[in-house]
Amino acid sequence: MRNRRRLALWTGALVVLAFAPALAEEARLVERLGAETAGEITKIVESARAASLPTESLVAAALEGAAKRAPASRIIETVRRRAEALGQAREALGRASTSAELAAGAGAILAGVPADTLARLRAMRPQASLVVPLVVVADLIARRVPETTASAAVIQAARLGIRDRDLLRARERVEQDIRAGRTPTAAIEARGRALGMAFPSATDHHRPARPNGGTP
Amino acid sequence: MIGPVFARARGLIAAALLCGVALPSTSRGEVDSRFGVGAWADPTVPSASSRFAPWWTLATSSSRLSLQGLASGRNQSLDPRGFMLSGTTWLEPPAGTGREISTQVSQRERGPGGELTSVRSELRLHVLRPERGAWVGLGTEVNNGAVTHDVWPALAIGGWARRQRFFAVLDLEQSVGRTTLRAPRSSRSSSEPDTSGFAPPDTAAGIEKDATLTTARAALQWARGRLALESSAGVTLSRGADPRRWARALATYQVLDRVAVFASVGKGAPALHTFEPSDERHATVGVSLLEARAPLTPAALAAAPRVTYRLSRLHGGRHELTVWAPGAARVELMGDMTGWEPVALSRMKYIRWTTMLELSPGVHQLSIRIDEGDWGPLPGAPTAPDGYGGTVSQIVAE
């Protein structure tokens, strides 16, 4: 009898511990978004969780919308799109990908990076983290570098074995060049060439980039 | 010439404790106050009563004005007793230029029964670019005491550049200081007493007196994560005296959020008021409880013309985000790490603002706003669309 009571207590404690974060998360969503919107968001979050996708970025996107006073419909739509992007990222990057890679991959897809670029990056770097290349490609597109040029640049960086810190530094210089008045394409091409990348000439955009004579 | 400075470093071991309290307010015109107390110990001094030299400092700064007080204790083997008060105001830089006005009043003991009061005023004009800058200053220094020497005009000129983790400063500055004049050959052998009306201390090399010093300095700083290294070297010239070359290296390692250990070796430029003896070669070790980073020069700090940032990993998931925001009265951030709720950064010094963030490894999104303006990405950080028609910064935590 005493053992049963102890077992019941332990079971109850474990249940509380297991569901406490989710309950706290839901309470926070209700507090910031109202019960109705929070309910919709929770459904999307639960669905993602059931699909074994990381859900932190979904809750964060909802809270971000609340902070920016976005309409409820916009918040729900944004969270839904991010959940879809997380699924696409996992498909492209593989099931062994980390939560950080999936979050970065979803961000890249939402920025306009094709899922194919993610898959090619994974093929180039099957073991190493792709967080930095995915953040960089999303940033380049946000700075109006054409998607094909941005994707070609990070894929070549992966192929050339350029370290993450050097890639981040090159991104920073591209940003500085754009601020200084260079066009985004000219900036990425100049900084990429300094790292050994090759880009098609302005009159040759139909051909894929061939770094150092290799295949793209 | 720099090598022997370190090789012959005197066995002066100084233990310093710098502790501080920051008093930020949440209103505009935030004011930070810091105080520090400490003591220098010189084991080479035979007398126990003069072996320790206490000092204290108090600094208060707002977005445009900084005030600093410094007093050093009585110890003839280190700094003489004295105090220094200084104030600097930074006027809003209009389109790539800035003006800095500073005044400094100091008094210090000069030999038995003698005191020296000094007032220095200076105006500096800055030319500012994102990664480099230059300034020119014009000032005057008036001294009153048993031994007097005024300087007009006191000129200052310098430049700085910042690239990645490196920060370099080159400058040339004139000031009043104590120097040892070369004694004429005839008087070096003379044993006649001094009849000039004052009795400055004689040394084997010549006579000590106040004079206009012109100091050329080069400093380089490198910081990464918890470690910061700073080296400076220069030469101080004055008429009638031999050039004085000096060099100093400083290393700071941040152990905890507000606790750092530091060590230095060498000697600094001659100065009337310092925490530590500047004329002697020495080595120091110490603990700092505030301002754990190696300090940049005030002019260089004030001269950064645009918002920049640095993210430093401390321990575990603890990170320090530093934002340089010229002319800002309030800096806030919000992001996934704050549950997208605004958090005000603490103003540390001049234009430097910091906050501690708990970041899990991976990518994090955040926005900042200055002086209650619009929320936007952190300049210099990677960006991404936010899904609400705007842009956010993406920072990568290791």
Side-chain angles (χ1 to χ4, degrees):
Chain A
M1 187 70 172
R2 200 172 163 184
N3 283 344
R4 270 189 203 167
R5 194 178 297 164
R6 195 175 289 173
L7 182 67
L9 279 172
W10 276 109
T11 308
L14 286 173
V15 167
V16 169
L17 281 175
F19 286 95
L23 291 172
E25 187 178 277
E26 195 173 344
R28 193 159 59 156
L29 286 171
V30 170
E31 185 191 339
R32 301 278 294 276
L33 297 164
E36 196 177 333
T37 309
E40 290 296 318
I41 300 294
T42 303
K43 280 182 201 168
I44 301 170
V45 170
E46 288 304 326
S47 170
R49 190 172 284 139
S52 300
L53 290 169
T55 58
E56 294 85 356
S57 63
L58 300 178
V59 176
L63 295 175
E64 183 185 358
K68 293 179 176 176
R69 301 180 194 281
S73 58
R74 183 76 184 265
I75 294 172
I76 294 166
E77 179 59 25
T78 297
V79 174
R80 185 170 286 130
R81 286 183 58 208
R82 184 163 284 272
E84 288 168 6
L86 279 167
Q88 291 168 20
R90 187 174 61 184
E91 204 166 305
L93 296 172
R95 288 198 163 266
S97 304
T98 63
S99 299
E101 285 178 318
L102 293 182
I109 286 170
L110 290 171
V113 179
D116 178 55
T117 298
L118 274 63
R120 291 172 75 185
L121 278 171
R122 172 55 78 209
M124 295 283 172
R125 293 174 63 162
Q127 303 298 327
S129 169
L130 290 176
V131 170
V132 167
L134 291 169
V135 165
V136 169
V137 71
D139 176 72
L140 293 176
I141 290 174
R143 294 186 192 284
R144 302 185 187 282
V145 173
E147 179 274 310
T148 48
T149 310
S151 292
V154 290
I155 288 169
Q156 288 188 69
R159 191 208 318 268
L160 293 168
I162 292 168
R163 293 176 302 180
D164 284 351
R165 78 172 76 154
D166 295 327
L167 190 59
L168 284 170
R169 199 168 294 159
R171 184 216 67 81
E172 210 173 306
R173 287 174 182 164
V174 168
E175 181 188 344
Q176 288 168 2
D177 289 349
I178 293 170
R179 278 176 194 270
R182 260 190 169 172
T183 65
T185 305
I188 183 64
E189 290 186 357
R191 296 302 179 180
R193 285 196 183 102
L195 292 172
M197 299 177 194
F199 294 91
S201 66
T203 56
D204 204 16
H205 271 297
H206 61 281
R207 283 204 314 220
R210 287 176 179 271
N212 300 327
T215 53
Chain B
M1 286 306 244
I2 292 171
V5 170
F6 296 106
R8 297 200 304 264
R10 198 174 144 212
L12 175 64
I13 303 299
L17 181 67
L18 180 61
C19 51
V21 176
L23 304 169
S25 72
T26 53
S27 60
R28 290 172 70 91
E30 182 172 322
V31 174
D32 280 351
S33 296
R34 301 176 296 279
F35 74 88
V37 293
W40 292 92
D42 185 352
T44 62
V45 175
S47 163
S49 61
S50 59
R51 194 171 291 163
F52 296 95
W55 53 259
W56 64 264
T57 180
L58 178 67
T60 299
S61 57
S62 67
S63 59
R64 305 265 167 78
L65 180 69
S66 72
L67 299 168
Q68 188 182 13
L70 166 66
S72 58
R74 186 190 187 93
N75 184 326
Q76 295 304 320
S77 70
L78 297 172
D79 264 344
R81 182 173 58 184
F83 73 88
M84 184 267 284
L85 293 171
S86 69
T88 299
T89 180
W90 174 256
L91 306 177
E92 187 69 18
T97 60
R99 283 160 290 171
E100 181 187 3
I101 299 172
S102 66
T103 302
Q104 177 178 304
V105 180
S106 64
Q107 185 179 55
R108 71 169 183 159
E109 196 171 276
R110 164 58 58 82
E115 284 188 341
L116 173 70
T117 303
S118 160
V119 179
R120 180 185 175 91
S121 302
E122 189 180 351
L123 169 68
R124 286 190 176 190
L125 300 173
H126 293 261
V127 177
L128 310 169
R129 294 291 178 267
E131 300 295 333
R132 61 191 184 279
W135 72 87
V136 59
L138 187 65
T140 180
E141 190 164 337
V142 179
N143 291 269
N144 280 310
V147 183
T148 63
H149 183 88
D150 299 340
V151 54
W152 163 260
L155 299 171
I157 187 167
W160 59 272
R162 182 166 52 198
R163 192 173 179 91
Q164 304 301 328
R165 299 179 189 280
F166 289 93
F167 187 94
V169 181
L170 274 174
D171 64 18
L172 189 141
E173 191 172 295
Q174 287 187 310
S175 63
V176 174
R178 193 165 31 165
T179 190
T180 305
L181 298 179
R182 276 191 303 265
R185 285 189 179 280
S186 56
S187 66
R188 282 184 188 175
S189 57
S190 170
S191 59
E192 289 179 13
D194 178 84
T195 57
S196 61
F198 63 89
D202 288 352
T203 68
I207 299 171
E208 282 196 355
K209 69 167 291 187
D210 290 310
T212 304
L213 304 182
T214 302
T215 299
R217 179 180 74 119
L220 182 67
Q221 189 184 85
W222 173 89
R224 183 174 186 186
R226 302 186 198 185
L227 182 66
L229 303 175
E230 186 180 354
S231 64
S232 55
V235 60
T236 301
L237 308 169
S238 59
R239 189 178 292 175
D242 292 327
R244 277 192 283 176
R245 296 176 180 83
W246 51 269
R248 188 165 184 261
L250 170 70
T252 308
Y253 187 78
Q254 194 160 353
V255 183
L256 296 172
D257 290 355
R258 286 180 178 267
V259 181
V261 292
F262 63 87
S264 74
V265 64
K267 66 175 180 178
L272 284 173
H273 289 276
T274 57
F275 286 126
E276 57 188 290
S278 59
D279 284 354
E280 297 285 345
R281 288 181 291 271
H282 61 276
T284 64
V285 291
V287 177
S288 171
L289 302 184
L290 190 70
E291 288 293 303
R293 303 280 167 196
L296 295 170
T297 61
L301 267 174
R306 66 175 173 84
V307 179
T308 55
Y309 84 102
R310 181 174 70 196
L311 183 70
S312 307
R313 186 183 175 195
L314 302 180
H315 50 88
R318 200 93 165 133
H319 290 70
E320 182 187 47
L321 179 72
T322 305
V323 176
W324 283 267
R330 185 175 173 82
V331 179
E332 298 167 283
L333 78 80
M334 65 175 181
D336 54 31
M337 72 294 292
T338 68
W340 285 99
E341 290 192 11
V343 172
L345 276 70
S346 301
R347 191 166 189 276
M348 296 304 290
K349 200 170 188 182
Y350 300 99
I351 60 169
R352 187 155 66 97
W353 302 74
T354 68
T355 189
M356 295 294 167
L357 300 174
E358 198 68 44
L359 299 176
S360 57
V363 60
H364 295 271
Q365 297 189 326
L366 62 89
S367 296
I368 69 161
R369 97 175 151 175
I370 293 171
D371 293 346
E372 297 178 6
D374 293 334
W375 289 99
L378 192 57
T383 57
D386 65 357
Y388 299 101
T391 308
V392 288
S393 296
Q394 296 206 106
I395 55 174
V396 179
E398 296 172 357

